[in-house]
Amino acid sequence: MEQNRDNRNQHQYKNRQQRQDNRYVPRDNRKNIYISMVIPLLNEEESLQELALSLEGELNDIANEKWEVIFIDDGSTDNSYDIIRRIHSRNPNFKCIRFRRNYGKSAALSVGFQAAQGKLIGTMDADLQDDPKELKRMVETINQGWDLVSGWKKVRHDPITKTVPSKFFNYITSKTSGIRLHDFNCGFKMYRREVAKRLQVYGEMHRYLPALAHWDGFKVTEIPVLHHARPYGVSKFGLSRFLYGFLDLLTVMFTTRYMKRPLHFFGLLGTLFVLLGLTVDTYLAVEWAMGLTYLSERPLFLMGIAFIIVGVQFISMGLLGELIIKNSFKQQNYNIKERLL
């Protein structure tokens, strides 16, 4: 009796231990996936079959079945999801996450990065303009010690309404961000797992992922990649994306460079306004003292006072920001590369 009870207890303990082991072993360790491809899409039913076949051949050469492709259906209204289901039934390495409505590319990438299990995580568009044959070069480049490899569409097959604004956008972004890249907005990229998992992608921040990674201490580079003309459909992005892009650039700069030191940003602006106002009012006060003018006849005097008030307000905002940061950051979010304790 006692021996049977001991055997039963031992069997229950082994089952419980096995369930705990299965619960806490990460999925990427069980599946041992080397590379994950995250592909956002919106109404790309014509290109999906061809893209899947091309990716399957290239990824098998690189990772020998240890790969996955995660399509992010960003609210498609055509037959894109049905086609992906057929692709999945043929090869389960092709997966899909389907949104109920269109949320945008940043949301799609954010969800895809969370779901990806590979040691390397790549991104590309689903419109067949990115060439999967470039994946091998990207993997080779990232294995040379880089953390993020971005594609550069050196020869671009797009209308002038996209190429000219894009060059201006990339020039401004390169100068502002401090990282020299020719094509920030290229969707063809390869990340180390720790980079993709750390990046916070929201709004329209997908345009600035290389800059965000660079500011966070990761090593970023770019390589020229083949770019094809779009064989099916039309682009889903309009000219308004460049206006939103510049507004997002301001957001990126403030939330990365000045997140933990807001007084450096607001204080600089405030000091400039105060100095400008003091200079104007001092000049007018000297003229008044010499009897050369009446301040009541000089609206510029009121403008100088307004500059001083605005400057003081900016400095006050910076001080309030410093107080908020000091009392809200219980644990600093620093990017630690290694620990030797």
Side-chain angles (χ1 to χ4, degrees), residues 268-302:
L268 176 60
L269 290 177
T271 302
L272 292 176
F273 273 99
V274 169
L275 290 177
L276 181 59
L278 287 175
T279 301
V280 171
D281 285 352
T282 301
Y283 170 75
L284 293 176
V286 171
E287 282 194 340
W288 172 79
M290 297 174 62
L292 300 176
T293 186
Y294 292 99
L295 295 181
S296 60
E297 298 177 356
R298 301 300 298 271
L300 189 61
F301 182 74
L302 296 178

mmCIF file of all heavy atoms in Angstrom, residues 268-302:
data_model
loop_
_atom_site.group_PDB
_atom_site.id
_atom_site.type_symbol
_atom_site.label_atom_id
_atom_site.label_comp_id
_atom_site.label_asym_id
_atom_site.label_seq_id
_atom_site.Cartn_x
_atom_site.Cartn_y
_atom_site.Cartn_z
ATOM 1 N N LEU A 268 17.277 75.651 -22.585
ATOM 2 C CA LEU A 268 17.982 76.294 -23.693
ATOM 3 C C LEU A 268 17.052 77.254 -24.438
ATOM 4 O O LEU A 268 17.415 78.408 -24.715
ATOM 5 C CB LEU A 268 18.528 75.231 -24.648
ATOM 6 C CG LEU A 268 19.226 75.754 -25.913
ATOM 7 C CD1 LEU A 268 20.428 76.616 -25.541
ATOM 8 C CD2 LEU A 268 19.640 74.594 -26.813
ATOM 9 N N LEU A 269 15.845 76.766 -24.759
ATOM 10 C CA LEU A 269 14.882 77.637 -25.429
ATOM 11 C C LEU A 269 14.534 78.842 -24.559
ATOM 12 O O LEU A 269 14.475 79.988 -25.037
ATOM 13 C CB LEU A 269 13.612 76.855 -25.758
ATOM 14 C CG LEU A 269 13.712 75.786 -26.848
ATOM 15 C CD1 LEU A 269 12.382 75.061 -26.993
ATOM 16 C CD2 LEU A 269 14.111 76.405 -28.169
ATOM 17 N N GLY A 270 14.280 78.576 -23.275
ATOM 18 C CA GLY A 270 13.923 79.670 -22.375
ATOM 19 C C GLY A 270 15.023 80.704 -22.258
ATOM 20 O O GLY A 270 14.753 81.916 -22.264
ATOM 21 N N THR A 271 16.265 80.264 -22.148
ATOM 22 C CA THR A 271 17.385 81.190 -22.036
ATOM 23 C C THR A 271 17.509 82.058 -23.286
ATOM 24 O O THR A 271 17.760 83.274 -23.198
ATOM 25 C CB THR A 271 18.689 80.413 -21.802
ATOM 26 O OG1 THR A 271 18.558 79.620 -20.607
ATOM 27 C CG2 THR A 271 19.868 81.361 -21.657
ATOM 28 N N LEU A 272 17.327 81.457 -24.458
ATOM 29 C CA LEU A 272 17.396 82.228 -25.705
ATOM 30 C C LEU A 272 16.309 83.298 -25.752
ATOM 31 O O LEU A 272 16.571 84.449 -26.134
ATOM 32 C CB LEU A 272 17.265 81.280 -26.902
ATOM 33 C CG LEU A 272 18.436 80.316 -27.137
ATOM 34 C CD1 LEU A 272 18.137 79.377 -28.303
ATOM 35 C CD2 LEU A 272 19.718 81.095 -27.412
ATOM 36 N N PHE A 273 15.085 82.937 -25.368
ATOM 37 C CA PHE A 273 13.997 83.912 -25.364
ATOM 38 C C PHE A 273 14.262 85.032 -24.360
ATOM 39 O O PHE A 273 14.039 86.218 -24.645
ATOM 40 C CB PHE A 273 12.666 83.224 -25.050
ATOM 41 C CG PHE A 273 11.976 82.661 -26.252
ATOM 42 C CD1 PHE A 273 12.066 81.316 -26.561
ATOM 43 C CD2 PHE A 273 11.219 83.484 -27.080
ATOM 44 C CE1 PHE A 273 11.436 80.797 -27.662
ATOM 45 C CE2 PHE A 273 10.579 82.974 -28.191
ATOM 46 C CZ PHE A 273 10.689 81.618 -28.491
ATOM 47 N N VAL A 274 14.729 84.688 -23.147
ATOM 48 C CA VAL A 274 15.005 85.699 -22.128
ATOM 49 C C VAL A 274 16.102 86.655 -22.597
ATOM 50 O O VAL A 274 15.985 87.886 -22.466
ATOM 51 C CB VAL A 274 15.386 85.035 -20.795
ATOM 52 C CG1 VAL A 274 15.925 86.072 -19.816
ATOM 53 C CG2 VAL A 274 14.179 84.334 -20.188
ATOM 54 N N LEU A 275 17.194 86.115 -23.148
ATOM 55 C CA LEU A 275 18.289 86.973 -23.620
ATOM 56 C C LEU A 275 17.834 87.882 -24.747
ATOM 57 O O LEU A 275 18.208 89.070 -24.795
ATOM 58 C CB LEU A 275 19.462 86.097 -24.088
ATOM 59 C CG LEU A 275 20.230 85.356 -22.985
ATOM 60 C CD1 LEU A 275 21.306 84.468 -23.595
ATOM 61 C CD2 LEU A 275 20.844 86.346 -21.997
ATOM 62 N N LEU A 276 17.018 87.337 -25.663
ATOM 63 C CA LEU A 276 16.515 88.167 -26.756
ATOM 64 C C LEU A 276 15.639 89.295 -26.226
ATOM 65 O O LEU A 276 15.757 90.461 -26.637
ATOM 66 C CB LEU A 276 15.728 87.298 -27.737
ATOM 67 C CG LEU A 276 15.141 88.015 -28.974
ATOM 68 C CD1 LEU A 276 16.258 88.659 -29.792
ATOM 69 C CD2 LEU A 276 14.359 87.035 -29.836
ATOM 70 N N GLY A 277 14.737 88.956 -25.300
ATOM 71 C CA GLY A 277 13.869 89.979 -24.715
ATOM 72 C C GLY A 277 14.646 91.032 -23.949
ATOM 73 O O GLY A 277 14.371 92.231 -24.053
ATOM 74 N N LEU A 278 15.640 90.621 -23.148
ATOM 75 C CA LEU A 278 16.452 91.574 -22.398
ATOM 76 C C LEU A 278 17.250 92.489 -23.324
ATOM 77 O O LEU A 278 17.407 93.688 -23.055
ATOM 78 C CB LEU A 278 17.392 90.818 -21.458
ATOM 79 C CG LEU A 278 16.746 90.161 -20.236
ATOM 80 C CD1 LEU A 278 17.785 89.340 -19.474
ATOM 81 C CD2 LEU A 278 16.113 91.213 -19.317
ATOM 82 N N THR A 279 17.772 91.919 -24.407
ATOM 83 C CA THR A 279 18.532 92.736 -25.355
ATOM 84 C C THR A 279 17.660 93.820 -25.973
ATOM 85 O O THR A 279 18.058 94.994 -26.052
ATOM 86 C CB THR A 279 19.119 91.837 -26.461
ATOM 87 O OG1 THR A 279 19.960 90.848 -25.867
ATOM 88 C CG2 THR A 279 19.929 92.662 -27.446
ATOM 89 N N VAL A 280 16.466 93.426 -26.417
ATOM 90 C CA VAL A 280 15.551 94.386 -27.033
ATOM 91 C C VAL A 280 15.151 95.473 -26.033
ATOM 92 O O VAL A 280 15.213 96.690 -26.324
ATOM 93 C CB VAL A 280 14.314 93.665 -27.583
ATOM 94 C CG1 VAL A 280 13.244 94.682 -28.017
ATOM 95 C CG2 VAL A 280 14.690 92.775 -28.760
ATOM 96 N N ASP A 281 14.743 95.071 -24.835
ATOM 97 C CA ASP A 281 14.264 96.047 -23.852
ATOM 98 C C ASP A 281 15.391 96.921 -23.315
ATOM 99 O O ASP A 281 15.181 98.117 -23.014
ATOM 100 C CB ASP A 281 13.563 95.326 -22.706
ATOM 101 C CG ASP A 281 12.176 94.827 -23.100
ATOM 102 O OD1 ASP A 281 11.730 95.182 -24.208
ATOM 103 O OD2 ASP A 281 11.555 94.082 -22.316
ATOM 104 N N THR A 282 16.573 96.362 -23.186
ATOM 105 C CA THR A 282 17.708 97.181 -22.742
ATOM 106 C C THR A 282 18.036 98.266 -23.767
ATOM 107 O O THR A 282 18.294 99.434 -23.410
ATOM 108 C CB THR A 282 18.943 96.298 -22.485
ATOM 109 O OG1 THR A 282 18.627 95.322 -21.493
ATOM 110 C CG2 THR A 282 20.124 97.135 -22.033
ATOM 111 N N TYR A 283 18.032 97.896 -25.027
ATOM 112 C CA TYR A 283 18.298 98.871 -26.097
ATOM 113 C C TYR A 283 17.273 99.996 -26.074
ATOM 114 O O TYR A 283 17.612 101.186 -26.138
ATOM 115 C CB TYR A 283 18.302 98.160 -27.441
ATOM 116 C CG TYR A 283 18.336 99.101 -28.628
ATOM 117 C CD1 TYR A 283 19.519 99.761 -28.977
ATOM 118 C CD2 TYR A 283 17.189 99.343 -29.381
ATOM 119 C CE1 TYR A 283 19.558 100.634 -30.050
ATOM 120 C CE2 TYR A 283 17.222 100.215 -30.459
ATOM 121 C CZ TYR A 283 18.401 100.848 -30.787
ATOM 122 O OH TYR A 283 18.433 101.728 -31.858
ATOM 123 N N LEU A 284 15.983 99.633 -25.938
ATOM 124 C CA LEU A 284 14.928 100.643 -25.921
ATOM 125 C C LEU A 284 14.993 101.485 -24.652
ATOM 126 O O LEU A 284 14.702 102.699 -24.666
ATOM 127 C CB LEU A 284 13.571 99.978 -26.044
ATOM 128 C CG LEU A 284 13.282 99.283 -27.387
ATOM 129 C CD1 LEU A 284 11.931 98.582 -27.353
ATOM 130 C CD2 LEU A 284 13.324 100.278 -28.541
ATOM 131 N N ALA A 285 15.365 100.861 -23.519
ATOM 132 C CA ALA A 285 15.470 101.613 -22.272
ATOM 133 C C ALA A 285 16.583 102.651 -22.356
ATOM 134 O O ALA A 285 16.446 103.784 -21.836
ATOM 135 C CB ALA A 285 15.732 100.656 -21.113
ATOM 136 N N VAL A 286 17.688 102.313 -23.005
ATOM 137 C CA VAL A 286 18.778 103.269 -23.189
ATOM 138 C C VAL A 286 18.315 104.444 -24.051
ATOM 139 O O VAL A 286 18.595 105.620 -23.757
ATOM 140 C CB VAL A 286 20.000 102.571 -23.798
ATOM 141 C CG1 VAL A 286 21.068 103.598 -24.203
ATOM 142 C CG2 VAL A 286 20.589 101.573 -22.815
ATOM 143 N N GLU A 287 17.590 104.141 -25.141
ATOM 144 C CA GLU A 287 17.069 105.210 -25.984
ATOM 145 C C GLU A 287 16.114 106.116 -25.204
ATOM 146 O O GLU A 287 16.114 107.352 -25.364
ATOM 147 C CB GLU A 287 16.358 104.623 -27.199
ATOM 148 C CG GLU A 287 17.283 104.136 -28.284
ATOM 149 C CD GLU A 287 16.535 103.889 -29.584
ATOM 150 O OE1 GLU A 287 15.284 103.723 -29.539
ATOM 151 O OE2 GLU A 287 17.183 103.887 -30.648
ATOM 152 N N TRP A 288 15.268 105.491 -24.352
ATOM 153 C CA TRP A 288 14.328 106.277 -23.549
ATOM 154 C C TRP A 288 15.057 107.179 -22.558
ATOM 155 O O TRP A 288 14.699 108.346 -22.361
ATOM 156 C CB TRP A 288 13.374 105.328 -22.826
ATOM 157 C CG TRP A 288 12.489 106.009 -21.830
ATOM 158 C CD1 TRP A 288 11.358 106.714 -22.080
ATOM 159 C CD2 TRP A 288 12.705 106.061 -20.418
ATOM 160 N NE1 TRP A 288 10.834 107.223 -20.917
ATOM 161 C CE2 TRP A 288 11.648 106.824 -19.880
ATOM 162 C CE3 TRP A 288 13.680 105.544 -19.568
ATOM 163 C CZ2 TRP A 288 11.539 107.084 -18.503
ATOM 164 C CZ3 TRP A 288 13.570 105.796 -18.220
ATOM 165 C CH2 TRP A 288 12.520 106.557 -17.689
ATOM 166 N N ALA A 289 16.095 106.617 -21.930
ATOM 167 C CA ALA A 289 16.851 107.402 -20.955
ATOM 168 C C ALA A 289 17.555 108.580 -21.615
ATOM 169 O O ALA A 289 17.751 109.638 -20.985
ATOM 170 C CB ALA A 289 17.869 106.508 -20.251
ATOM 171 N N MET A 290 17.925 108.442 -22.877
ATOM 172 C CA MET A 290 18.602 109.522 -23.596
ATOM 173 C C MET A 290 17.608 110.492 -24.226
ATOM 174 O O MET A 290 18.001 111.448 -24.897
ATOM 175 C CB MET A 290 19.525 108.939 -24.661
ATOM 176 C CG MET A 290 20.662 108.088 -24.093
ATOM 177 S SD MET A 290 21.640 107.279 -25.383
ATOM 178 C CE MET A 290 22.296 108.704 -26.258
ATOM 179 N N GLY A 291 16.320 110.215 -24.031
ATOM 180 C CA GLY A 291 15.297 111.091 -24.572
ATOM 181 C C GLY A 291 15.081 110.947 -26.060
ATOM 182 O O GLY A 291 14.540 111.864 -26.700
ATOM 183 N N LEU A 292 15.502 109.817 -26.623
ATOM 184 C CA LEU A 292 15.375 109.619 -28.065
ATOM 185 C C LEU A 292 14.060 108.966 -28.468
ATOM 186 O O LEU A 292 13.728 108.942 -29.661
ATOM 187 C CB LEU A 292 16.551 108.761 -28.573
ATOM 188 C CG LEU A 292 17.945 109.338 -28.338
ATOM 189 C CD1 LEU A 292 19.010 108.351 -28.800
ATOM 190 C CD2 LEU A 292 18.104 110.676 -29.074
ATOM 191 N N THR A 293 13.320 108.431 -27.528
ATOM 192 C CA THR A 293 12.080 107.746 -27.880
ATOM 193 C C THR A 293 11.153 107.706 -26.672
ATOM 194 O O THR A 293 11.585 107.949 -25.535
ATOM 195 C CB THR A 293 12.357 106.306 -28.363
ATOM 196 O OG1 THR A 293 11.137 105.736 -28.823
ATOM 197 C CG2 THR A 293 12.890 105.455 -27.227
ATOM 198 N N TYR A 294 9.898 107.419 -26.947
ATOM 199 C CA TYR A 294 8.904 107.192 -25.898
ATOM 200 C C TYR A 294 8.514 105.708 -25.956
ATOM 201 O O TYR A 294 8.162 105.201 -27.035
ATOM 202 C CB TYR A 294 7.674 108.068 -26.090
ATOM 203 C CG TYR A 294 7.938 109.532 -25.877
ATOM 204 C CD1 TYR A 294 8.147 110.378 -26.960
ATOM 205 C CD2 TYR A 294 7.994 110.058 -24.594
ATOM 206 C CE1 TYR A 294 8.407 111.727 -26.759
ATOM 207 C CE2 TYR A 294 8.251 111.415 -24.391
ATOM 208 C CZ TYR A 294 8.455 112.241 -25.480
ATOM 209 O OH TYR A 294 8.708 113.571 -25.291
ATOM 210 N N LEU A 295 8.580 105.034 -24.830
ATOM 211 C CA LEU A 295 8.289 103.596 -24.816
ATOM 212 C C LEU A 295 6.849 103.303 -25.204
ATOM 213 O O LEU A 295 6.541 102.240 -25.739
ATOM 214 C CB LEU A 295 8.604 103.013 -23.436
ATOM 215 C CG LEU A 295 10.080 103.053 -23.029
ATOM 216 C CD1 LEU A 295 10.258 102.424 -21.647
ATOM 217 C CD2 LEU A 295 10.956 102.358 -24.043
ATOM 218 N N SER A 296 5.960 104.251 -24.931
ATOM 219 C CA SER A 296 4.557 104.051 -25.304
ATOM 220 C C SER A 296 4.361 104.019 -26.808
ATOM 221 O O SER A 296 3.336 103.542 -27.304
ATOM 222 C CB SER A 296 3.692 105.160 -24.700
ATOM 223 O OG SER A 296 4.114 106.440 -25.171
ATOM 224 N N GLU A 297 5.337 104.493 -27.556
ATOM 225 C CA GLU A 297 5.254 104.515 -29.019
ATOM 226 C C GLU A 297 6.052 103.370 -29.648
ATOM 227 O O GLU A 297 6.178 103.316 -30.868
ATOM 228 C CB GLU A 297 5.771 105.858 -29.557
ATOM 229 C CG GLU A 297 4.951 107.050 -29.084
ATOM 230 C CD GLU A 297 5.538 108.363 -29.576
ATOM 231 O OE1 GLU A 297 6.623 108.309 -30.209
ATOM 232 O OE2 GLU A 297 4.925 109.421 -29.337
ATOM 233 N N ARG A 298 6.597 102.507 -28.832
ATOM 234 C CA ARG A 298 7.446 101.425 -29.357
ATOM 235 C C ARG A 298 6.846 100.064 -28.991
ATOM 236 O O ARG A 298 7.095 99.530 -27.904
ATOM 237 C CB ARG A 298 8.859 101.527 -28.784
ATOM 238 C CG ARG A 298 9.572 102.832 -29.085
ATOM 239 C CD ARG A 298 9.734 103.065 -30.598
ATOM 240 N NE ARG A 298 10.531 102.040 -31.217
ATOM 241 C CZ ARG A 298 11.858 102.111 -31.321
ATOM 242 N NH1 ARG A 298 12.496 103.169 -30.823
ATOM 243 N NH2 ARG A 298 12.536 101.169 -31.914
ATOM 244 N N PRO A 299 6.033 99.472 -29.874
ATOM 245 C CA PRO A 299 5.484 98.129 -29.616
ATOM 246 C C PRO A 299 6.575 97.076 -29.414
ATOM 247 O O PRO A 299 6.345 96.041 -28.796
ATOM 248 C CB PRO A 299 4.658 97.840 -30.874
ATOM 249 C CG PRO A 299 4.379 99.178 -31.470
ATOM 250 C CD PRO A 299 5.557 100.038 -31.134
ATOM 251 N N LEU A 300 7.776 97.375 -29.925
ATOM 252 C CA LEU A 300 8.879 96.422 -29.764
ATOM 253 C C LEU A 300 9.220 96.195 -28.299
ATOM 254 O O LEU A 300 9.685 95.115 -27.922
ATOM 255 C CB LEU A 300 10.102 96.942 -30.519
ATOM 256 C CG LEU A 300 11.290 95.983 -30.654
ATOM 257 C CD1 LEU A 300 10.877 94.732 -31.416
ATOM 258 C CD2 LEU A 300 12.454 96.678 -31.366
ATOM 259 N N PHE A 301 8.965 97.216 -27.465
ATOM 260 C CA PHE A 301 9.224 97.073 -26.036
ATOM 261 C C PHE A 301 8.326 95.994 -25.427
ATOM 262 O O PHE A 301 8.773 95.177 -24.615
ATOM 263 C CB PHE A 301 8.986 98.418 -25.341
ATOM 264 C CG PHE A 301 9.259 98.396 -23.861
ATOM 265 C CD1 PHE A 301 10.562 98.354 -23.385
ATOM 266 C CD2 PHE A 301 8.217 98.404 -22.947
ATOM 267 C CE1 PHE A 301 10.818 98.325 -22.030
ATOM 268 C CE2 PHE A 301 8.465 98.365 -21.586
ATOM 269 C CZ PHE A 301 9.772 98.327 -21.128
ATOM 270 N N LEU A 302 7.047 95.998 -25.840
ATOM 271 C CA LEU A 302 6.117 94.970 -25.356
ATOM 272 C C LEU A 302 6.508 93.583 -25.875
ATOM 273 O O LEU A 302 6.354 92.590 -25.174
ATOM 274 C CB LEU A 302 4.689 95.316 -25.782
ATOM 275 C CG LEU A 302 4.116 96.611 -25.198
ATOM 276 C CD1 LEU A 302 2.720 96.861 -25.743
ATOM 277 C CD2 LEU A 302 4.099 96.540 -23.676
#
